[in-house]
Amino acid sequence: MLSAVSFSTATILSCLVSLGWSATVTYDFNITWVISNPDGAYERPTIGINGQWPLPPIRATVGDQVVINVMNQLGNETTSLHFHGIYQNGSAEMDGTAGVSQCGIPPGNSFTYNFKVEQPGTYWYHSHAIGQYPDGLRGPFIVHDPASPFTDMYDEEIVLTLSDWYHKSMAVLIPSYINVANPTGAEPIPDATLLNDAQNVSVSVEPGKTYMIRIINMGSFAGQYLWFEDHSMSIIEVDGIYTEPAETEMLYLSVAQRYSVLLTTKNDTSSNFAFVGSMDQDMFDHVPVGLNPNATGWLVYDSSEKLPPPALLGDFYPFDDFTLVPHDGETLLENVDHSVTLNFMMGNLVNGANYGFFNDVTYVTPVVPTLYTVLSAGNAADDVAIYGSNTNTFILEKDEVVEIVLNSADTGKHPFHLHGHNFQVVARSAVDAGAYAGNVSLSPVPMRRDTFMVCADQNMPHSGNAAGNTEDLYDLSGENVSAQPIPDGFTTKGIVALVFSCISGAVGIAVIAWYGMGEIGAHDMAAARRAVIELTGGSS
């Protein structure tokens, strides 16, 4: 399957806030371990903020300065915070990607994120270190917009999060996932689905009102279907991009995607209505016996009325986000300056573990965070060679129009996210259509979003190339690299193992043949007769 996207490295989204007013919004986050049991089935350590979980939302208004003081008191893990979908234009050092834009925050240390938000919409924040956020370190990030084109079309606002949930910690799951014992790369299957980090959620509503519901998939693996029984939705935003209203009965959200929808309630209060988040089981290598892929909530019109069970669905027909039209009418970006082709696949390295690859390269975090290499490399900063063998670096010029062609050779579904930008999704093929050939018609006003589904010091250097070398930026000795690819043909060890396996097999067959051709003695014959009599209940 392929997708083609285009984006401009210039400012993509215009501010929609009146000039002359902004505020500084400050949060103090003390990150610690807490105990939680959101699905009611298993208590486990979870990463909380200020002693609580679920985590608090971050709220700001377009034009605000956001200051987040982070103290890492986990004790045993490094951490960071990434603000998913926030462009960080002019503040890339605040992106929170450990190993790319900053060093991780070691236990006992602090870091202050300080940046201006100039884009409205629905976002989320999460750890971007050591695969950590499924352990609980994720929450909504909402940027309000006084100049929204839909402000007068709703009465109240609701935030609804979806997520998969694991009973085991990432410290256990990740090593067992990337492991020689899991050569097919089968992902761990979640144990539950959560709505607002809980189950059996009740949302109080009033009759005859319109609600803007901000929906976020904060999960780590599973895509989610979402529907409200006997209610329709009108999509007005995806990933921070306002859209022309589009009606639907069901949404599909890959991990990290967001929607804002308008939902108008009924004019009477005689019934309450279920809504359901359901994990996409097509993504699972197998479905464990007893797994409940659903989490149920209710639109509660009258708390004295019963909460009805949800109807069972045999098929899912979600809205196709490819058909959305941006509200601002931005037309197709033309005159491409730079084209990048990314061929995606999953495969094994010589250590037997399964990895993801772009263009036959699997990512390995460099010794020096990439942004620090950029800032310390001088004239060599625009040479891809200094960024390491396993970072898949592309050098772009300011204000270029960039075309990304993403060809997926994997059978699974994968969300693709681009930090610092949204992008136009200009082409999408059918499953098994092969690599992009540039022979499809492109929408004159393509949909845009930032996530698209494709079926202390810590002793870390702060300058130098990917290996931390500052004298010779082209000396990559000491860089972090992946395991070696599996060689073509057999290695010497493989040949020896094959020879001895063949010899052992031949000897085994010879022994069986020799034994089978031997005469059966009187004792063996008598034993055989007794066994037949016992099995048949007959007589000799």
Side-chain angles (χ1 to χ4, degrees):
M1 182 178 181
L2 67 89
S3 288
V5 302
S6 294
F7 65 94
S8 171
T9 53
T11 302
I12 295 174
L13 188 64
S14 297
C15 296
L16 298 176
V17 70
S18 300
L19 298 176
W21 184 91
S22 64
T24 297
V25 181
T26 302
Y27 290 86
D28 295 317
F29 284 176
N30 184 21
I31 299 176
T32 62
W33 291 104
V34 299
I35 299 298
S36 70
N37 185 6
D39 64 346
Y42 189 81
E43 277 195 348
R44 55 154 294 179
T46 305
I47 300 177
I49 287 178
N50 301 335
Q52 295 183 340
W53 192 88
L55 304 188
I58 296 173
R59 292 184 179 273
T61 300
V62 172
D64 283 353
Q65 193 75 21
V66 176
V67 178
I68 303 170
N69 301 306
V70 175
M71 168 60 73
N72 179 5
Q73 292 193 349
L74 292 173
N76 62 341
E77 291 189 6
T78 294
T79 193
S80 74
L81 287 184
H82 168 60
F83 310 96
H84 190 107
I86 300 298
Y87 303 145
Q88 300 292 3
N89 192 0
S91 53
E93 73 279 10
M94 297 292 139
D95 195 49
T97 47
V100 177
S101 61
Q102 69 167 90
C103 302
I105 308 169
N109 285 263
S110 61
F111 187 91
T112 296
Y113 295 95
N114 188 341
F115 55 91
K116 190 173 185 178
V117 288
E118 299 183 294
Q119 57 193 102
T122 306
Y123 307 95
W124 61 303
Y125 68 95
H126 60 85
S127 167
H128 211 299
I130 60 175
Q132 184 180 68
Y133 82 78
D135 285 334
L137 187 46
R138 71 284 192 284
F141 189 129
I142 307 300
V143 182
H144 297 283
D145 180 13
S148 166
F150 303 103
T151 297
D152 296 331
M153 297 177 63
Y154 62 91
D155 301 292
E156 294 183 30
E157 183 178 309
I158 296 169
V159 175
L160 178 65
T161 66
L162 298 156
S163 62
D164 47 26
W165 185 249
Y166 291 91
H167 291 164
K168 293 182 180 178
S169 71
M170 291 300 106
V172 173
L173 289 175
I174 291 176
S176 63
Y177 168 50
I178 305 176
N179 192 287
V180 66
N182 184 33
T184 64
E187 296 88 349
I189 308 301
D191 295 291
T193 299
L194 303 180
L195 292 167
N196 284 350
D197 283 326
Q199 292 188 331
N200 302 318
V201 173
S202 293
V203 177
S204 296
V205 295
E206 297 180 26
K209 281 192 172 184
T210 297
Y211 294 84
M212 184 176 78
I213 306 177
R214 299 180 183 268
I215 306 162
I216 309 168
N217 185 347
M218 302 194 307
S220 59
F221 172 40
Q224 298 272 359
Y225 297 96
L226 176 70
W227 65 96
F228 294 83
E229 291 191 356
D230 208 20
H231 292 72
S232 63
M233 297 171 277
S234 179
I235 300 168
I236 59 169
E237 179 225 337
V238 288
D239 297 358
I241 302 300
Y242 292 128
T243 70
E244 293 298 322
E247 296 295 317
T248 185
E249 305 294 324
M250 180 182 291
L251 295 174
Y252 182 92
L253 294 88
S254 75
V255 166
Q257 286 185 332
R258 295 92 62 205
Y259 282 84
S260 286
V261 302
L262 299 181
L263 182 148
T264 300
T265 55
K266 299 181 179 301
N267 287 320
D268 66 81
T269 61
S270 58
S271 299
N272 300 317
F273 296 87
F275 62 90
V276 181
S278 182
M279 289 190 288
D280 181 2
Q281 297 178 79
D282 289 344
M283 300 182 69
F284 300 167
D285 189 66
H286 72 284
V287 179
V289 175
L291 174 69
N292 179 8
N294 300 335
T296 303
W298 288 270
L299 297 176
V300 178
Y301 285 76
D302 186 341
S303 59
S304 65
E305 296 289 338
K306 66 179 181 179
L307 301 177
L312 297 178
L313 297 184
D315 297 295
F316 300 98
Y317 299 100
F319 185 87
D320 182 2
D321 63 345
F322 188 70
T323 65
L324 290 169
V325 177
H327 186 269
D328 61 12
E330 180 183 271
T331 57
L332 177 69
L333 295 173
E334 298 179 333
N335 302 317
V336 171
D337 299 299
H338 195 115
S339 183
V340 174
T341 297
L342 298 175
N343 295 314
F344 173 75
M345 62 172 286
M346 301 294 293
N348 297 82
L349 294 176
V350 73
N351 62 359
N354 192 265
Y355 298 87
F357 296 82
F358 278 135
N359 299 346
D360 298 321
V361 175
T362 189
Y363 180 79
V364 179
T365 303
V367 174
V368 175
T370 301
L371 181 61
Y372 298 170
T373 297
V374 172
L375 297 175
S376 63
N379 292 333
D382 60 356
D383 191 330
V384 297
I386 71 170
Y387 296 103
S389 306
N390 285 94
T391 61
N392 230 329
T393 301
F394 298 88
I395 304 295
L396 306 176
E397 297 292 334
K398 183 178 183 297
D399 294 337
E400 283 188 323
V401 174
V402 181
E403 174 188 73
I404 298 176
V405 178
L406 180 58
N407 296 311
S408 177
D410 189 63
T411 57
K413 301 175 182 177
H414 297 274
F416 174 79
H417 171 57
L418 186 62
H419 286 223
H421 303 81
N422 61 49
F423 45 80
Q424 296 180 336
V425 184
V426 301
R428 181 189 63 188
S429 76
V431 176
D432 299 326
Y436 181 62
N439 57 349
V440 296
S441 298
L442 307 182
S443 170
V445 185
M447 67 89 75
R448 299 202 313 275
R449 63 186 318 163
D450 63 46
T451 305
F452 192 69
M453 173 65 89
V454 179
C455 269
D457 180 69
Q458 209 177 358
N459 296 319
M460 178 177 282
H462 291 72
S463 62
N465 64 8
N469 296 320
T470 57
E471 298 298 324
D472 181 358
L473 293 174
Y474 296 94
D475 176 11
L476 292 174
S477 58
E479 70 169 326
N480 297 335
V481 297
S482 66
Q484 294 298 307
I486 297 175
D488 295 331
F490 285 99
T491 62
T492 302
K493 288 183 179 180
I495 293 171
V496 171
L498 177 62
V499 169
F500 277 95
S501 296
C502 292
I503 293 172
S504 299
V507 171
I509 292 172
V511 170
I512 293 171
W514 168 78
Y515 183 81
M517 290 186 293
E519 293 185 2
I520 299 177
H523 177 76
D524 292 331
M525 181 62 75
R529 283 177 175 170
R530 288 194 299 272
V532 170
I533 291 171
E534 291 174 0
L535 288 171
T536 63
S539 60
S540 60

